[in-house]
């Protein structure tokens, strides 16, 4: 972690912003309402697109009568599947490293069948959004309802219709894994616990809905796409591929993005339809999903049924895990990341924090006629954690051991790394023991246990839940690239010293409200040696930033930050080379601090960077003939020594359950998290807290409810519950720091840690409260009705 030639770490360096809670550079602008979201973009000749969406979960499209729609006021064009298929090729979302994964061709608008309620089947482009929606209502669609597959448990039955006959059955993907002597471990166990866990399907509910504006400029032969999205270069590649355009002809601009949570990193048919319509009409076309169509067109996530089993010895040693995971992904694997990833993650992550060696897992991914399902914040993590931690609490109760002690006995020791989990995933450095000890101290665990006992005597039922977790961050090409997906795992940062001494940083990772701009500015300011206020960060523009993967899987700080760090070191070196010539000294005797060239040993100011810039840019004639200042540098970074930089953490929850009403009151929540070097403590804590709230939403409130005909029953904000501020407990966050040695900064990701562990911690706490009643819940969300059912009161 040495910081270049000064022999100081970045934490020790004068002018270091690493580890400081500096405010976000964009906060003032956003608070003033000066953000630029896609709907704020106005272009000449702008048209608007609206979609007719299928009212059936599965239907044959016999045809359309578009006469009235085409004649409606303001209508520019009406499109059906065949129209857009002429300019946009279909896609199939499979990757070669998920052997056996299959899916069907998908078009911007379907050619002959609708496969879920809410699938866009026709489109109207008009002068205004209202005119487009009015014309959509005039389309006569001849749809013939087909048999529906809704229940994932029945999707593979021989009597169940096959959604895509050309695929043979409704099984999209299956993975089997067996390690060690599983049967022998169960046979020799002092106790075996089993439980079926149900994790409800839910979605992201981003503050800004999905939004896209595509503008085909025939004169320039260039498509500019303004997009509320996480990965602009990926979208650029997709548009090029499916519309047959060269890369230089497509620019993707992601300005301010109002939340994403993984929702905005996938290819949506209605967004590709918008791009195709713009190409055909040779004018800008905008699509803004409204809230109701978001519920039936944004990807959903989770929706798992996991049968879990665990063997434990009398002394508390975990002997084996076994899981059988079944998940329904809707009618298509989602492009280009595929919908097999979440189930694959469940297999990889279950039991991950613990040192057991016997593991059997089966995961099956099935098609169904619901909204397509794919990656969402903390892909697979909360499912694996809920299964693992739920079984541990059950096993602890069965052998009469405190659940914290079972974890203390079984977590992988901090000095055992590098290590390999039973599932085969590799850990460079984790801190389960330190984290557990810190959490128990924060919670004052023993006091809470005593309080619990006393309150139970008064009829007050409180519970304590603990959940350890591991988190995938800084993914390498092992995540997608090896499977053939054109999703970049590397990222680059270009720095330019301006004549006035400021630095412009252009970087491939993007800002979605999580603070990327702040972190990159901190790293650049520190590595170059300028004040934070002198750094301007540019993100989200494929014409202006180095090629990169964007922001997902907690890679912005760890990968983008390291690219910025390396770029800053290079620019700093170039600056000092020129300064040394001007000052007639050696570069190694100089430093840059607070925007000034200084004497390295004494800190004495020798020259402002602004003066260096003036000379280099406006009076280069005064410099030696062989000196050519290079004040623009680019560096890239990709992790290679480990497939992922795993992080770890642990959460604790304290709740009170009203056994008469089933109502759960969240009292307190704690999290200890290890994301390596903490670049900005405030931002990390905000990320963790936000993730916890999202996880609590999954645990207690959020679920997409369907009827037997595949109709989503609660597709409005009046019916779909999300966590509110008034319901949230105080959330305390602390850290253990185990930097990765894969990079000089040592930073890992932190954005998904909260979501990964919160549901299990809360539900374990509920079950702890219900323990005296011999009641147990294992289905998310844990509603009051579920609790009353467990208590046998309804």
């Amino acid at each position: 972690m040495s910081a270049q030639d000064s022999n100081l770490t970045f934490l020790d360096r004068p002018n270091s912003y690493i580890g400081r809670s500096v405010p976000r550079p964009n906060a003032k602008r956003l608070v003033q309402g000066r953000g630029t979201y896609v709907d704020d973009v106005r272009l000449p000749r702008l048209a608007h697109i609206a979609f007719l969406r299928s009212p059936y979960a599965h239907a044959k499209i016999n045809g359309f009568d578009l006469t009235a729609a085409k004649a409606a006021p303001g209508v520019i064009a009406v499109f059906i599947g065949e129209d857009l298929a002429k300019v946009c090729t279909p896609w199939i979302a499979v990757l070669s490293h998920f052997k056996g994964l299959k899916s069907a061709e998908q078009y911007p608008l379907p050619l002959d069948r609708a496969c879920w309620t809410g699938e866009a089947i026709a489109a109207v482009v008009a002068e205004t959004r209202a005119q487009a929606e009015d014309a959509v209502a005039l389309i006569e669609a001849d749809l013939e309802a087909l048999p529906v597959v809704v229940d994932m448990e029945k999707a593979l039955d021989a009597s169940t219709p096959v959604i895509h006959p050309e695929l043979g059955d409704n099984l999209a993907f299956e993975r089997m894994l067996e390690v060690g002597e599983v049967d022998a471990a169960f046979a020799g166990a002092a106790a075996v616990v089993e439980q079926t866990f149900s994790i409800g399907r839910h979605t992201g509910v981003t503050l800004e809905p999905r939004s896209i504006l595509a503008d085909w400029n025939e004169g320039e032969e260039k498509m500019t796409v303004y997009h509320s999205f996480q990965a602009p270069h990926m979208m650029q590649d997709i548009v090029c591929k499916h519309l047959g355009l060269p890369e230089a002809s497509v620019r993707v601009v992601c300005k301010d993005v109002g939340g994403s949570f993984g929702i905005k990193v996938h290819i949506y048919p209605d967004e590709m339809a918008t791009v195709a319509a713009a190409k055909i009409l040779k004018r800008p076309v905008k699509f803004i999903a409204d809230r109701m169509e978001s519920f039936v067109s944004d990807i959903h996530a989770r929706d798992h049924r996991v049968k879990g089993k665990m063997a434990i010895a009398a002394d508390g040693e975990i002997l084996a895990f076994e899981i059988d995971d079944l998940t329904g992904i809707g009618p298509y694997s989602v492009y280009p990341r595929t919908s097999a990833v979440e189930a694959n993650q469940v297999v990889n992550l279950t039991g991950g924090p613990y040192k057991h060696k016997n593991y059997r897992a089966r995961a099956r991914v099935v098609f169904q006629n619901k909204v397509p399902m794919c990656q969402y914040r903390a892909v697979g993590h909360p499912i694996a954690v809920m299964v693992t931690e739920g079984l541990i609490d059950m096993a602890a109760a069965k052998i009469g051991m405190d659940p914290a002690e079972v974890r203390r006995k079984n977590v992988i020791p901090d000095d055992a790394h590098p290590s390999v989990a039973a599932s085969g995933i590799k850990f460079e450095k984790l801190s389960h023991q330190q984290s557990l000890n810190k959490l128990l101290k924060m919670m004052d665990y023993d006091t809470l246990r005593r309080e619990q006992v006393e309150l139970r005597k008064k009829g007050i039922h409180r519970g304590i839940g603990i959940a350890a977790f591991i988190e995938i961050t800084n993914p390498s090409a092992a995540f997608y690239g090896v499977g053939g997906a054109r999703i970049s795992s590397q990222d680059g940062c270009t720095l330019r010293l301006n004549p006035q001494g400021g630095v412009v940083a252009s970087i491939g990772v993007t800002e979605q409200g999580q603070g990327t701009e702040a972190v990159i500015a901190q790293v650049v300011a520190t590595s170059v040696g300028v004040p934070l206020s002198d750094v301007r960060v540019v993100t989200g523009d494929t014409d202006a930033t180095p090629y990169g993967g964007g922001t997902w899987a907690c890679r912005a700080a760890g990968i983008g930050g390291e690219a910025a760090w390396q770029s800053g070191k290079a620019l700093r070196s170039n600056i000092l080379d020129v300064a040394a010539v001007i000052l007639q000294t050696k570069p190694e005797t100089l430093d840059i601090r607070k925007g000034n060239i200084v004497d390295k040993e004494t800190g004495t100011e020798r020259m402002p960077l602004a003066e260096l810039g003036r000379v280099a840019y406006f009076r280069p004639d005064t410099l030696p003939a062989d000196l050519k200042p290079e004040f623009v540098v680019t560096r890239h970074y990709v992790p290679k020594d480990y497939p992922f930089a795993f992080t770890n953490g642990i959460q604790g929850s304290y709740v009170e359950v009203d056994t008469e009403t089933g109502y759960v009151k969240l009292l307190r929540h704690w999290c200890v998290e290890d994301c390596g070097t903490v670049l900005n403590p405030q931002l990390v804590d905000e990320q963790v807290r936000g993730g916890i709230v999202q996880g609590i939403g999954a645990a207690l409130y959020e679920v997409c409810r369907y009827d037997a005909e595949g109709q989503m029953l609660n597709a409005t904000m009046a019916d779909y519950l999300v966590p509110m501020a008034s319901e949230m407990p105080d959330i305390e966050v602390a850290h253990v720091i185990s930097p990765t040695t894969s990079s000089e900064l040592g930073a890992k990701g932190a954005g998904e840690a909260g979501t990964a562990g919160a549901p299990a911690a809360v539900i374990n706490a509920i079950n702890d409260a219900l323990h005296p009643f011999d009641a147990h819940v294992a289905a998310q969300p844990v509603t009051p009705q579920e609790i009353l059912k467990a208590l046998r009161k309804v």
Side-chain angles (χ1 to χ4, degrees):
M1 294 201 301
S2 65
Q4 61 171 13
D5 55 0
S6 65
N7 297 322
L8 296 174
T9 71
F10 46 75
L11 296 173
D12 301 325
R13 273 187 54 77
N15 204 82
S16 176
Y17 293 92
I18 305 298
R20 289 173 52 184
S21 294
V22 303
R24 309 177 190 207
N26 59 353
K28 185 177 179 181
R29 177 174 60 83
L30 294 176
V31 169
Q32 291 176 342
R34 305 290 291 183
T36 305
Y37 299 91
V38 173
D39 204 26
D40 295 318
V41 179
R42 302 284 190 271
L43 298 176
R45 303 178 66 241
L46 178 62
H48 300 262
I49 193 168
F51 294 95
L52 175 65
R53 297 185 181 275
S54 174
Y56 298 106
H58 197 192
K60 180 182 178 184
I61 301 173
N62 291 321
F64 296 92
D65 182 348
L66 307 175
T67 308
K70 288 181 176 179
V75 170
I76 298 167
V78 181
F79 296 112
I80 60 174
E82 289 82 354
D83 302 321
L84 301 185
K86 295 173 183 174
V87 299
C88 183
T89 58
W91 56 87
I92 301 176
V94 295
L95 292 174
S96 62
H97 62 315
F98 295 125
K99 293 182 179 178
L101 173 62
K102 62 191 180 189
S103 189
E105 274 192 338
Q106 205 171 3
Y107 290 81
L109 296 174
L111 302 183
D112 56 6
R113 281 190 306 135
C115 288
W116 79 88
T117 301
E119 181 176 8
I121 56 174
V124 174
V125 180
E127 298 290 347
T128 69
R129 171 68 181 249
Q131 290 172 326
E133 290 188 357
D134 288 346
V136 163
L138 299 175
I139 295 175
E140 295 288 341
D142 181 3
L143 304 177
E144 179 182 339
L146 296 173
V148 173
V149 181
V150 176
D151 187 346
M152 61 185 179
E153 296 280 359
K154 298 178 180 176
L156 301 178
D157 291 351
S159 58
T160 300
V162 177
I163 295 175
H164 303 292
E166 68 274 21
L167 300 181
D169 57 32
N170 290 323
L171 180 65
F173 176 67
E174 182 172 20
R175 181 185 173 193
M176 307 281 284
L177 176 69
E178 181 154 350
V179 179
E181 302 293 332
V182 180
D183 290 333
F186 277 103
V192 174
V193 291
E194 296 183 62
Q195 181 66 59
T196 298
F197 299 87
S198 174
I199 293 89
R201 168 183 278 249
H202 50 276
T203 186
V205 197
T206 55
L207 193 60
E208 180 201 22
R210 288 189 299 109
S211 309
I212 189 168
L213 190 166
D215 180 18
W216 172 250
N217 185 318
E218 184 77 359
E220 296 181 345
E221 293 189 342
K222 184 151 189 170
M223 179 75 76
T224 301
V225 179
Y226 300 91
H227 202 185
S228 181
F229 203 62
Q230 298 173 234
H233 283 100
M234 188 198 88
M235 185 63 179
Q236 179 195 38
D237 187 76
I238 296 289
V239 171
C240 291
K241 178 178 179 180
H242 292 284
L243 273 76
L245 298 171
E247 197 166 273
S249 291
V250 177
R251 177 189 182 193
V252 177
V253 181
C254 301
K255 291 180 178 290
D256 292 309
V257 176
S260 51
F261 313 125
I263 296 296
K264 298 174 180 175
V265 76
H266 310 292
I267 297 304
Y268 290 89
D270 51 17
E271 295 183 358
M272 292 300 286
T274 304
V275 178
K279 181 70 165 56
I280 293 171
L281 297 173
K282 302 179 177 61
R283 62 186 296 176
V285 178
K286 178 189 284 186
F287 168 60
I288 309 293
D290 67 32
R291 186 59 68 187
M292 292 180 70
E293 64 184 343
S294 291
F295 275 112
V296 295
S297 61
D298 291 3
I299 62 107
H300 292 177
R302 315 305 192 223
D303 203 7
H304 288 246
R305 184 278 290 146
V306 185
K307 294 179 180 177
K309 186 176 174 183
M310 195 187 100
I312 191 167
D315 64 357
E317 180 187 359
I318 296 173
L319 301 177
F321 280 100
E322 180 176 355
I323 66 166
D324 180 350
D325 179 24
L326 179 67
T327 180
I329 60 166
Y332 298 99
S333 173
V334 176
Y335 191 57
R337 293 163 191 267
T338 83
S339 301
V341 175
E342 185 158 85
N344 194 60
Q345 300 279 65
V346 173
V347 172
N348 286 339
L349 301 175
T350 298
Y354 301 101
K355 55 188 179 184
H356 69 101
K357 297 298 180 187
N358 304 301
Y359 181 39
R360 178 184 292 141
R362 179 192 194 193
R364 288 172 294 163
V365 178
V366 300
F367 296 117
Q368 54 186 174
N369 294 114
K370 292 182 177 179
V371 171
M373 197 177 83
C374 201
Q375 286 90 314
Y376 165 70
R377 192 176 195 176
V379 184
H381 292 63
I383 301 157
V385 177
M386 182 174 173
V387 172
T388 303
E389 301 300 311
L391 289 172
I392 287 178
D393 269 18
M394 292 174 66
K398 199 159 186 176
I399 64 171
M401 192 170 183
D402 186 279
E405 286 307 307
V406 174
R407 290 173 173 86
R408 190 190 303 280
K409 184 176 183 66
N410 288 281
V411 292
I412 301 173
D414 295 355
D415 60 1
H417 303 290
S419 63
V420 180
S423 67
I425 54 179
K426 298 176 181 177
F427 303 131
E428 177 198 4
K429 176 65 177 173
L430 299 177
S431 58
H432 290 300
Q433 290 175 318
Q434 291 181 72
S435 298
L436 174 61
N437 291 337
K438 197 163 192 172
L439 179 82
L440 297 179
K441 186 175 181 181
M442 286 171 66
M443 296 174 72
D444 197 356
Y445 183 79
D446 293 338
T447 300
L448 286 184
R449 283 292 180 204
R450 288 193 293 271
E451 180 181 87
Q452 181 187 43
V453 171
E454 293 303 314
L455 289 174
R456 277 178 178 166
K457 297 174 184 174
K458 301 175 183 177
I460 298 172
H461 299 283
R462 293 186 174 180
I464 302 165
I466 294 174
F469 61 90
I470 52 175
E471 182 197 352
I472 291 174
T473 75
N474 295 3
S476 70
F479 212 159
Y480 294 113
V482 296
R486 293 167 62 86
I487 298 170
S488 177
S489 56
Q490 63 88 56
D491 243 284
C493 179
T494 297
L495 299 185
R496 183 186 74 223
L497 178 71
N498 283 337
Q500 291 184 341
V503 177
V504 176
S506 303
I507 192 161
V509 295
T510 53
E511 169 72 58
Q512 300 140 38
Q514 81 280 37
T516 292
E517 289 184 21
V519 167
I520 299 303
Q522 286 178 264
V523 172
V524 170
T526 303
S527 58
V528 178
V530 297
L532 188 66
S533 57
D534 286 355
V535 179
R536 182 176 181 80
V537 179
V538 177
T539 69
D541 187 338
T542 56
D543 270 9
T545 61
Y547 206 94
T551 297
W552 47 273
C554 296
R555 66 186 299 280
I559 295 178
E562 183 66 16
W565 175 255
Q566 296 297 338
S567 195
K569 287 173 58 179
L571 178 60
R572 176 192 187 84
S573 177
N574 290 359
I575 291 172
L576 292 179
D577 285 344
V578 177
V581 172
I582 295 174
L583 297 171
Q584 298 183 2
T585 186
K586 295 181 179 178
E588 54 268 27
T589 67
L590 300 175
D591 199 358
I592 307 174
R593 297 173 190 169
K594 298 181 180 178
N596 296 299
I597 308 294
V598 301
D599 183 272
K600 184 177 175 181
E601 294 298 324
T602 66
T604 303
E605 183 178 328
R606 302 289 301 274
M607 176 192 291
L609 274 181
E611 175 60 11
L612 184 78
R614 184 193 69 80
V615 173
Y617 285 110
F618 306 125
R619 290 302 308 274
D621 56 302
T622 63
L623 298 175
D626 60 347
L627 180 63
K628 302 184 185 306
E630 185 54 77
F631 291 161
V632 178
V633 299
T634 300
R635 293 293 184 272
H636 293 82
Y637 173 70
V638 62
K640 289 187 176 179
D641 49 354
Y642 281 87
F644 310 97
F646 271 96
T647 71
N648 70 279
I650 189 165
Q651 296 188 31
S653 180
Y654 192 41
V655 308
E656 184 173 308
V657 179
D658 186 328
T659 56
E660 296 300 317
T661 65
Y663 178 75
V664 175
K665 184 177 183 181
L666 301 160
L667 300 173
R668 296 182 71 181
H669 200 101
W670 302 265
C671 179
V672 177
E673 191 271 347
D674 184 348
C675 64
T677 302
V678 180
L679 300 178
N680 185 320
Q682 184 182 45
L683 287 180
V684 170
D685 288 359
E686 287 177 357
Q687 283 277 306
V688 173
R689 288 194 180 94
I692 288 171
V693 171
Q694 206 156 14
I696 290 173
L700 299 180
Y701 310 112
E702 297 186 56
V703 64
C704 300
R705 299 192 184 281
Y706 278 84
D707 68 12
E709 297 303 315
Q711 300 292 327
M712 186 174 167
L713 302 175
N714 58 338
T716 74
M717 289 302 292
D719 300 305
Y720 183 94
L721 298 182
V722 294
M724 307 294 284
S726 60
E727 297 155 340
M728 293 301 102
D730 287 341
I731 300 173
E732 296 179 36
V733 181
H735 302 278
V736 173
I737 297 175
S738 304
T740 173
T741 57
S742 296
S743 66
E744 289 188 25
L745 278 179
K748 308 175 189 175
E752 298 176 321
T755 311
V762 170
I763 293 172
N764 279 356
I766 292 171
N767 282 324
D768 187 47
L770 296 177
H771 184 70
F773 301 91
D774 192 26
H776 195 88
V777 292
Q780 290 185 34
V782 181
T783 62
Q785 186 177 20
E786 289 294 327
I787 291 175
L788 292 178
K789 281 168 58 179
L791 289 167
R792 300 169 291 279
K793 292 188 175 181
V794 294

